[in-house]
Amino acid sequence: LIRERIHVRGIVQGVGFRPFIYRTAVSLGLKGWVFNDSSGVEVEVEGEEKDVESFKKTLESHPPPLATISSLESLRISTVGSTDFLIRDSHKNAPTATLISPDIALCGDCLREMEDPADRRYGYPFINCTNCGPRYTIIEDIPYDRPKTSMKHFTMCRLCAGEYHDPEDRRFHAQPNACWECGPRLNFVDGDGRPSPENPDPLEETVGRLEKGEIAAIKGLGGFHLAVEATSGEAVKRLRLRKNREEKPLAVMVASLETARLMVHLSPEEELELDSPRKPIVLARKKENAPVAREVSPDNDYLGIMLPYTPLHRLLFSSGDFTALVMTSANLSEEPICIGNDEALTRLEGIADCFLLHDRLIHFRTDDSVIRIFRGRSYPIRRSRGYAPAPVPLTRSLRPVIGLGGELKNTVCLVKRDQAFLSQHVGDMENEETDSFFRKTVHHLEKILECRAEILAYDLHPGYLTTRYALEQEERPTWGVQHHHAHAVSCLAEHGLDGPALAVTFDGTGFGEEGRIWGGEILLADRSGYRREAHLLEVPMPGGDSAVREPFRMALSYLYSLYGLELFDRVPEFARRHPREKTDIILSMIDKGINTFMTSSAGRLFDAVSSLLNIRDRVSFEGQAAMELEYLAGDGELGHYPFDMDSSGEPVVINTLPVVEAVVSELAAGADPQLISTRFHQTLAVIIREVLINLKRRSGIGLVVLSGGVFQNSNLLERTVRILQKEKFEVYWHEKVPTNDGGLSLGQAVVAHEKSLSGG
Ligand code: ZN
Ligand code: ZN
Ligand code: FE
């Protein structure tokens, strides 16, 4: 007989790890005990050497689905003659490192029970177990125990309590455990808040309404969805109108992987992610004859698709005959997603025709995540449900620091020791509702992680609500972090790199130095600082935000820089499209510098070219013009356009006017817009290559990170990675956090930590 003490670290708490240890030990006839300690799980096992060995092997090879083991250390100790195996209480006063699990989609075992007429939870919309169900969205405080969750309002029945307390049951310590007898229930009301007189079954009633083309507000895991049949153009149009969302693509939910394959082209990696316990929205290329109304994602090559992730979603599809349902966050344009029943009834009045409610409170709103697969790996667009608050591991411990994010697609990031906890998607910080959700998120993260930030990191933009929040904090030190530096370090940090690296950070807008608007930046950056080595030529951005909404303003600006007033003769087609009265006003704004900023933004260059090609002069959502330009581009190289580099001063200025000039002359010569878009994309990749080759020659640095919202463009990303790898650069892009401003908070936190060490 031998005895070993085994210490397991990683995501091993609240994921059914102790029952798993218990079952494994008992099946091998081992004695001893297990408990949660401050940094993971501690086990002692006593038995024959071969059994102890196979115990350890099972731990590593078949851990519970939600567990991630980062290390397993064992130590031979003397035997004590244990006679049984026990799950001991956790050490109460030890500082906890309990990781709160993200919300997890319905598991296979629960699905089988839900579909089994003989099971006591047959058809129960809130079935869950240790391996699945709500977590982050129902937690009010730690430790993660039922009384600290929104399940505290439900008292478990005898059978549920039995399961909960039985270490051999798969619902042992499953905090949201519930059944028909004792748990949450569905409730249906119509648009006026009245229950349906005819049909007592809320689910059937909702399904019937959806089949008639009505818009249903359905309470889910992290908030309400607005649902409508995705095959009905009529119904989708009505939803867009009521939700005040003109063209921005809507996500759809389909019953199964088989249906998903009818809708979009799926690689094995995309299928794997789509059907993972995280169940994100996967952006994949739409199929030619996808059985979905055009209005779902008009003029868009991609479709955001997801699989049912709650038992209720499954029941909707098994009760109704839907090919696909649009499932979009229930909110008005950019406000936060609705979570409360009363809130939904008020805020969604006039939008939803009916409501499928339930009485399990959503404590913490969490939107669906959106990911793409790039080169076989995940490329997050929005990291939220299913991912948050799982930490991004760092290579070393930092002081408690919080990155507050930027403005659009905001997230916050609280670093505790060597783990970076990014919040769920907070949203666009443009209204009071989002601001208060942001404040709540900061507070909630600090509470559930038991970690109050000592340092706050914010963007340099003085107008951001996140900046204002930082500057309100009088008792804690704050550090401003330049936007593109934060992008660069965010990519470094998620890969465990320190730099220095050559950072290509291309995005729409970021506050630079001296109050200028940056966005086409090539930096030499490490965790503590950066040097702006090169940037795209600065051009006037007439009208500020209006220039973002109206890409033709950027086209006009480039043309004006190129040709002056001759532009009207040089580019007659463009001139015809835009009445002289309007263009004259914009030109005089440029001349007089009225509400006009200089910007080196790469996003705005994409906008300008999109408008020149008459793809889009006005957008109804951020990035639309650039996106449609991307979809036009092919995969080949087909040459590129000329550009200049002015290396006389520092930083190097990349003159993009020749690019625009070449686009104009090819257009005039009647070239295919598809060819122009392809060459334009290739031009940017070539620009990046040329600048980086020069920088590498000077600095000897071959490490490259690619970050910023423009790299959501996978055509550009693929070209850039390919062209740089050919030149033997070591290239990194995002895999764990978004390349857009949703990933900013991670970089901010790391930079602020470094700055605080060096005193600036
Ligand atoms: Zn389950
Ligand atoms: Zn029960
Ligand atoms: Fe940005």
Side-chain angles (χ1 to χ4, degrees):
L1 287 189
I2 61 157
R3 187 176 184 94
E4 284 198 4
R5 179 177 296 156
I6 302 166
H7 195 242
V8 192
R9 288 159 173 272
I11 301 182
V12 291
Q13 299 186 5
V15 293
F17 206 79
R18 284 174 303 158
F20 155 73
I21 296 270
Y22 175 91
R23 284 192 298 273
T24 310
V26 169
S27 72
L28 290 164
L30 298 173
K31 316 294 180 198
W33 44 255
V34 56
F35 68 84
N36 285 342
D37 73 0
S38 63
S39 59
V41 168
E42 186 151 305
V43 195
E44 284 192 13
V45 280
E46 188 168 319
E48 286 185 33
E49 183 160 6
K50 67 169 181 21
D51 294 327
V52 172
E53 283 311 311
S54 76
F55 174 78
K56 287 194 286 186
K57 239 179 237 137
T58 309
L59 254 55
E60 290 191 297
S61 59
H62 292 93
L66 305 185
T68 317
I69 295 178
S70 53
S71 77
L72 189 152
E73 288 159 24
S74 59
L75 181 73
R76 186 75 59 96
I77 54 175
S78 44
T79 57
V80 299
S82 301
T83 53
D84 50 10
F85 195 90
L86 297 171
I87 295 182
R88 287 204 189 159
D89 280 344
S90 307
H91 280 204
K92 282 267 155 44
N93 35 16
T96 56
T98 314
L99 298 185
I100 308 285
S101 165
D103 301 286
I104 298 298
L106 180 68
C107 76
D109 290 333
C110 287
L111 175 62
R112 266 185 297 280
E113 287 181 8
M114 187 177 76
E115 291 179 339
D116 175 6
D119 193 275
R120 71 185 187 92
R121 291 190 181 86
Y122 177 57
Y124 184 56
F126 303 95
I127 187 170
N128 65 81
C129 72
T130 315
N131 294 331
C132 75
R135 297 285 187 278
Y136 186 51
T137 50
I138 58 167
I139 291 169
E140 294 168 10
D141 202 352
I142 48 141
Y144 173 56
D145 260 330
R146 192 164 170 119
K148 299 282 176 69
T149 71
S150 46
M151 288 304 292
K152 68 185 172 195
H153 306 289
F154 304 92
T155 308
M156 276 186 280
C157 67
R158 192 180 49 81
L159 289 176
C160 285
E163 295 165 338
Y164 182 90
H165 292 294
D166 176 3
E168 295 197 58
D169 194 277
R170 64 184 197 84
R171 294 197 167 86
F172 176 67
H173 284 194
Q175 307 303 348
N177 190 27
C179 75
W180 283 114
E181 191 72 29
C182 64
R185 292 189 169 238
L186 292 176
N187 178 27
F188 175 91
V189 296
D190 67 15
D192 300 318
R194 286 182 309 238
S196 160
E198 309 94 50
N199 199 329
D201 184 328
L203 183 72
E204 271 176 37
E205 179 65 26
T206 308
V207 166
R209 301 275 190 140
L210 283 169
E211 283 172 344
K212 276 192 273 175
E214 288 193 10
I215 299 167
I218 298 175
K219 187 172 180 180
L221 202 52
F224 276 76
H225 279 124
L226 287 169
V228 76
E229 244 193 307
T231 42
S232 161
E234 213 36 54
V236 178
K237 225 185 276 173
R238 190 147 24 86
L239 172 64
R240 285 196 177 280
L241 203 68
R242 292 199 198 158
K243 208 188 150 181
N244 195 10
R245 177 155 160 158
E246 288 168 57
E247 290 163 315
K248 198 171 177 183
L250 299 164
V252 299
M253 182 180 278
V254 296
S256 65
L257 215 45
E258 288 71 50
T259 320
R261 291 187 188 118
L262 299 177
M263 301 271 177
V264 289
H265 297 278
L266 288 171
S267 66
E269 293 88 357
E270 283 166 333
E271 293 199 354
L272 210 62
E273 194 61 34
L274 188 62
D275 204 15
S276 73
R278 297 173 289 275
K279 295 275 191 301
I281 296 170
V282 172
L283 281 183
R285 213 168 265 275
K286 215 187 319 186
K287 281 198 171 168
E288 194 79 23
N289 298 313
V292 63
R294 199 197 78 87
E295 288 81 357
V296 171
S297 62
D299 300 322
N300 200 310
D301 278 13
Y302 286 80
L303 182 65
I305 197 159
M306 64 179 147
L307 294 175
Y309 56 83
T310 67
L312 177 57
H313 295 152
R314 283 279 177 182
L315 293 168
L316 279 170
F317 279 96
S318 58
S319 318
D321 183 23
F322 308 114
T323 310
L325 290 172
V326 164
M327 285 287 226
T328 182
S329 300
N331 52 5
L332 245 182
S333 58
E334 299 303 334
E335 288 177 9
I337 186 169
C338 284
I339 55 173
N341 289 351
D342 293 339
E343 179 198 4
L345 288 170
T346 324
R347 278 175 58 196
L348 302 176
E349 193 185 350
I351 300 178
D353 297 310
C354 60
F355 295 81
L356 183 57
L357 309 171
H358 61 70
D359 53 0
R360 187 178 69 201
L361 298 179
I362 298 170
H363 186 70
F364 211 41
R365 75 184 81 225
T366 306
D367 289 82
D368 294 324
S369 293
V370 184
I371 71 132
R372 227 178 206 181
I373 298 292
F374 178 74
R375 292 199 165 195
R377 280 179 265 170
S378 124
Y379 194 60
I381 304 292
R382 185 204 285 161
R383 185 183 182 276
S384 203
R385 176 187 49 77
Y387 299 82
V392 174
L394 302 176
T395 46
R396 70 183 82 126
S397 276
L398 310 189
R399 296 172 64 185
V401 49
I402 192 163
L404 299 170
E407 181 171 63
L408 298 179
K409 303 181 168 68
N410 197 45
T411 64
V412 303
C413 172
L414 180 60
V415 177
K416 183 178 179 182
R417 293 193 281 269
D418 59 352
Q419 293 179 313
F421 295 87
L422 278 95
S423 71
Q424 76 279 41
H425 170 75
V426 173
D428 295 349
M429 302 280 298
E430 291 176 323
N431 51 55
E432 227 173 276
E433 288 80 6
T434 317
D435 188 38
S436 80
F437 178 38
F438 158 80
R439 286 162 189 262
K440 194 175 158 188
T441 302
V442 171
H443 180 72
H444 195 63
L445 269 187
E446 289 187 323
K447 184 160 81 173
I448 63 171
L449 294 168
E450 291 183 285
C451 174
R452 181 169 156 83
E454 289 171 8
I455 305 165
L456 291 90
Y458 62 95
D459 193 273
L460 295 178
H461 197 301
Y464 285 0
L465 291 172
T466 47
T467 302
R468 286 190 210 165
Y469 174 84
L471 300 179
E472 279 167 20
Q473 309 292 312
E474 281 166 3
E475 79 285 19
R476 293 187 274 182
T478 56
W479 294 92
V481 179
Q482 200 279 324
H483 191 95
H484 302 92
H485 186 208
H487 272 307
V489 174
S490 166
C491 192
L492 283 171
E494 71 157 79
H495 289 289
L497 300 166
D498 288 342
L502 306 175
V504 184
T505 55
F506 280 8
D507 65 1
T509 302
F511 206 74
E513 289 160 6
E514 294 143 15
R516 298 175 100 85
I517 307 295
W518 292 6
E521 314 307 310
I522 298 180
L523 314 175
L524 177 62
D526 64 14
R527 294 155 61 107
S528 56
Y530 71 94
R531 201 164 66 206
R532 191 189 193 199
E533 295 286 354
H535 61 84
L536 300 184
L537 178 74
E538 292 187 335
V539 295
M541 184 175 160
D545 280 348
S546 309
V548 178
R549 283 190 299 272
E550 302 185 325
F552 83 86
R553 288 174 183 252
M554 289 313 300
L556 188 65
S557 171
Y558 273 97
L559 293 175
Y560 192 46
S561 300
L562 263 175
Y563 305 121
L565 286 173
E566 268 179 51
L567 79 96
F568 297 100
D569 304 321
R570 296 284 200 119
V571 201
E573 196 273 335
F574 180 83
R576 259 195 307 278
R577 283 204 323 267
H578 303 286
R580 193 63 194 257
E581 308 87 77
K582 178 133 193 191
T583 49
D584 278 349
I585 294 172
I586 296 170
L587 293 182
S588 82
M589 285 170 75
I590 294 177
D591 285 339
K592 295 178 188 144
I594 299 167
N595 196 15
T596 293
F597 309 91
M598 296 301 285
T599 184
S600 53
S601 163
R604 298 290 87 79
L605 175 61
F606 272 84
D607 283 357
V609 173
S610 185
S611 166
L612 282 175
L613 296 193
N614 196 10
I615 296 169
R616 205 155 270 284
D617 286 330
R618 285 175 188 78
V619 298
S620 62
F621 61 92
E622 192 218 356
Q624 187 181 19
M627 219 183 251
E628 291 177 6
L629 182 63
E630 173 194 348
Y631 299 152
L632 195 59
D635 293 330
E637 296 201 352
L638 308 176
H640 63 88
Y641 297 127
F643 55 89
D644 285 335
M645 270 203 269
D646 178 358
S647 314
S648 59
E650 280 183 4
V652 170
V653 177
I654 303 151
N655 184 357
T656 48
L657 291 177
V659 179
V660 176
E661 189 167 24
V663 168
V664 167
S665 67
E666 284 213 330
L667 259 181
D672 183 356
Q674 179 168 0
L675 176 75
I676 298 178
S677 175
T678 309
R679 285 188 178 155
F680 173 69
H681 278 79
Q682 182 65 14
T683 305
L684 282 166
V686 171
I687 286 175
I688 292 169
R689 179 186 65 194
E690 293 307 303
V691 174
L692 294 197
I693 285 176
N694 282 335
L695 283 174
K696 186 181 180 183
R697 209 172 285 144
R698 264 183 24 221
S699 64
I701 294 166
L703 177 66
V704 176
V705 290
L706 305 175
S707 191
V710 165
F711 283 109
Q712 287 174 115
N713 179 328
S714 44
N715 190 296
L716 176 67
L717 180 63
E718 172 57 38
R719 280 170 198 280
T720 307
V721 171
R722 203 192 308 144
I723 211 168
L724 292 178
Q725 287 183 339
K726 221 164 154 187
E727 298 293 332
K728 304 277 182 286
F729 283 99
E730 194 187 343
V731 190
Y732 289 87
W733 56 89
H734 288 278
E735 291 173 24
K736 297 193 180 106
V737 305
T739 196
N740 58 46
D741 286 2
L744 219 49
S745 55
L746 169 61
Q748 290 175 334
V750 174
V751 173
H753 164 83
E754 296 292 331
K755 287 190 178 212
S756 75
L757 292 184
S758 66

